[in-house]
Short mmCIF file of all heavy atoms in Angstrom, two decimals:
data_model
loop_
_atom_site.label_atom_id
_atom_site.label_comp_id
_atom_site.label_asym_id
_atom_site.label_seq_id
_atom_site.Cartn_x
_atom_site.Cartn_y
_atom_site.Cartn_z
N CYS J 18 83.23 -78.58 117.06
CA CYS J 18 81.76 -78.73 116.95
C CYS J 18 81.32 -78.60 115.48
O CYS J 18 80.47 -79.38 115.03
CB CYS J 18 81.04 -77.69 117.79
SG CYS J 18 81.20 -77.91 119.54
N TRP J 19 81.89 -77.67 114.76
CA TRP J 19 81.50 -77.47 113.35
C TRP J 19 81.86 -78.68 112.49
O TRP J 19 81.03 -79.16 111.75
CB TRP J 19 82.15 -76.22 112.77
CG TRP J 19 81.55 -75.87 111.43
CD1 TRP J 19 80.46 -75.10 111.20
CD2 TRP J 19 82.03 -76.31 110.15
NE1 TRP J 19 80.22 -75.04 109.86
CE2 TRP J 19 81.16 -75.76 109.19
CE3 TRP J 19 83.10 -77.11 109.73
CZ2 TRP J 19 81.33 -75.99 107.84
CZ3 TRP J 19 83.25 -77.33 108.36
CH2 TRP J 19 82.38 -76.78 107.43
N PHE J 20 83.09 -79.15 112.60
CA PHE J 20 83.48 -80.30 111.78
C PHE J 20 82.71 -81.55 112.16
O PHE J 20 82.33 -82.34 111.29
CB PHE J 20 84.99 -80.55 111.89
CG PHE J 20 85.79 -79.67 110.97
CD1 PHE J 20 86.50 -78.59 111.47
CD2 PHE J 20 85.82 -79.91 109.62
CE1 PHE J 20 87.22 -77.77 110.63
CE2 PHE J 20 86.55 -79.08 108.74
CZ PHE J 20 87.26 -78.02 109.28
N LEU J 21 82.45 -81.75 113.44
CA LEU J 21 81.69 -82.91 113.86
C LEU J 21 80.26 -82.84 113.29
O LEU J 21 79.74 -83.82 112.74
CB LEU J 21 81.65 -83.00 115.39
CG LEU J 21 80.90 -84.19 115.97
CD1 LEU J 21 81.58 -85.49 115.56
CD2 LEU J 21 80.86 -84.08 117.47
N ALA J 22 79.62 -81.68 113.38
CA ALA J 22 78.28 -81.52 112.84
C ALA J 22 78.28 -81.65 111.31
O ALA J 22 77.39 -82.30 110.75
CB ALA J 22 77.71 -80.16 113.24
N PHE J 23 79.28 -81.10 110.65
CA PHE J 23 79.34 -81.17 109.19
C PHE J 23 79.52 -82.61 108.71
O PHE J 23 78.82 -83.05 107.80
CB PHE J 23 80.46 -80.27 108.66
CG PHE J 23 80.53 -80.23 107.16
CD1 PHE J 23 79.55 -79.62 106.44
CD2 PHE J 23 81.60 -80.78 106.49
CE1 PHE J 23 79.59 -79.56 105.06
CE2 PHE J 23 81.68 -80.74 105.11
CZ PHE J 23 80.65 -80.12 104.38
N PHE J 24 80.42 -83.34 109.33
CA PHE J 24 80.65 -84.74 108.91
C PHE J 24 79.44 -85.62 109.23
O PHE J 24 79.19 -86.59 108.53
CB PHE J 24 81.91 -85.29 109.52
CG PHE J 24 83.17 -84.76 108.89
CD1 PHE J 24 84.22 -84.35 109.66
CD2 PHE J 24 83.29 -84.61 107.53
CE1 PHE J 24 85.39 -83.86 109.12
CE2 PHE J 24 84.43 -84.10 106.94
CZ PHE J 24 85.48 -83.74 107.74
N CYS J 25 78.68 -85.27 110.26
CA CYS J 25 77.45 -86.02 110.55
C CYS J 25 76.36 -85.68 109.54
O CYS J 25 75.50 -86.52 109.27
CB CYS J 25 76.96 -85.73 111.96
SG CYS J 25 77.97 -86.46 113.24
N MET J 26 76.37 -84.47 108.98
CA MET J 26 75.37 -84.06 108.00
C MET J 26 75.66 -84.57 106.58
O MET J 26 74.76 -84.60 105.76
CB MET J 26 75.30 -82.53 107.94
CG MET J 26 74.82 -81.86 109.18
SD MET J 26 73.08 -82.10 109.46
CE MET J 26 72.36 -81.39 108.01
N LEU J 27 76.88 -84.95 106.29
CA LEU J 27 77.24 -85.34 104.92
C LEU J 27 76.40 -86.46 104.32
O LEU J 27 75.95 -86.35 103.19
CB LEU J 27 78.73 -85.68 104.82
CG LEU J 27 79.67 -84.48 104.79
CD1 LEU J 27 81.11 -84.97 104.75
CD2 LEU J 27 79.40 -83.59 103.61
N PRO J 28 76.15 -87.56 105.03
CA PRO J 28 75.38 -88.63 104.38
C PRO J 28 73.87 -88.40 104.33
O PRO J 28 73.17 -89.20 103.73
CB PRO J 28 75.72 -89.86 105.23
CG PRO J 28 76.06 -89.32 106.56
CD PRO J 28 76.70 -87.98 106.31
N ILE J 29 73.36 -87.33 104.90
CA ILE J 29 71.92 -87.10 104.96
C ILE J 29 71.46 -86.47 103.65
O ILE J 29 72.01 -85.48 103.16
CB ILE J 29 71.57 -86.18 106.15
CG1 ILE J 29 71.92 -86.89 107.44
CG2 ILE J 29 70.10 -85.80 106.14
CD1 ILE J 29 71.78 -86.04 108.67
N GLY J 30 70.39 -87.02 103.07
CA GLY J 30 69.73 -86.47 101.90
C GLY J 30 70.58 -86.44 100.65
O GLY J 30 70.59 -85.44 99.94
N LYS J 49 74.29 -77.91 103.82
CA LYS J 49 74.76 -78.71 104.96
C LYS J 49 75.75 -77.94 105.81
O LYS J 49 75.76 -78.09 107.04
CB LYS J 49 75.35 -80.01 104.46
CG LYS J 49 74.31 -80.94 103.87
CD LYS J 49 74.91 -82.21 103.33
CE LYS J 49 73.84 -83.06 102.68
NZ LYS J 49 74.38 -84.31 102.16
N ALA J 53 75.29 -77.13 109.70
CA ALA J 53 76.37 -77.45 110.62
C ALA J 53 76.80 -76.23 111.41
O ALA J 53 77.13 -76.35 112.60
CB ALA J 53 77.56 -78.03 109.85
N ILE J 56 74.22 -75.73 114.19
CA ILE J 56 74.41 -76.72 115.24
C ILE J 56 75.66 -76.39 116.06
O ILE J 56 75.65 -76.49 117.29
CB ILE J 56 74.51 -78.14 114.63
CG1 ILE J 56 73.16 -78.53 114.03
CG2 ILE J 56 74.95 -79.15 115.67
CD1 ILE J 56 73.21 -79.79 113.20
#
Side-chain angles (χ1 to χ4, degrees):
C18 290
W19 190 88
F20 277 105
L21 182 63
F23 184 67
F24 286 136
C25 288
M26 294 289 300
L27 282 178
I29 297 173
K49 291 177 183 182
I56 293 170

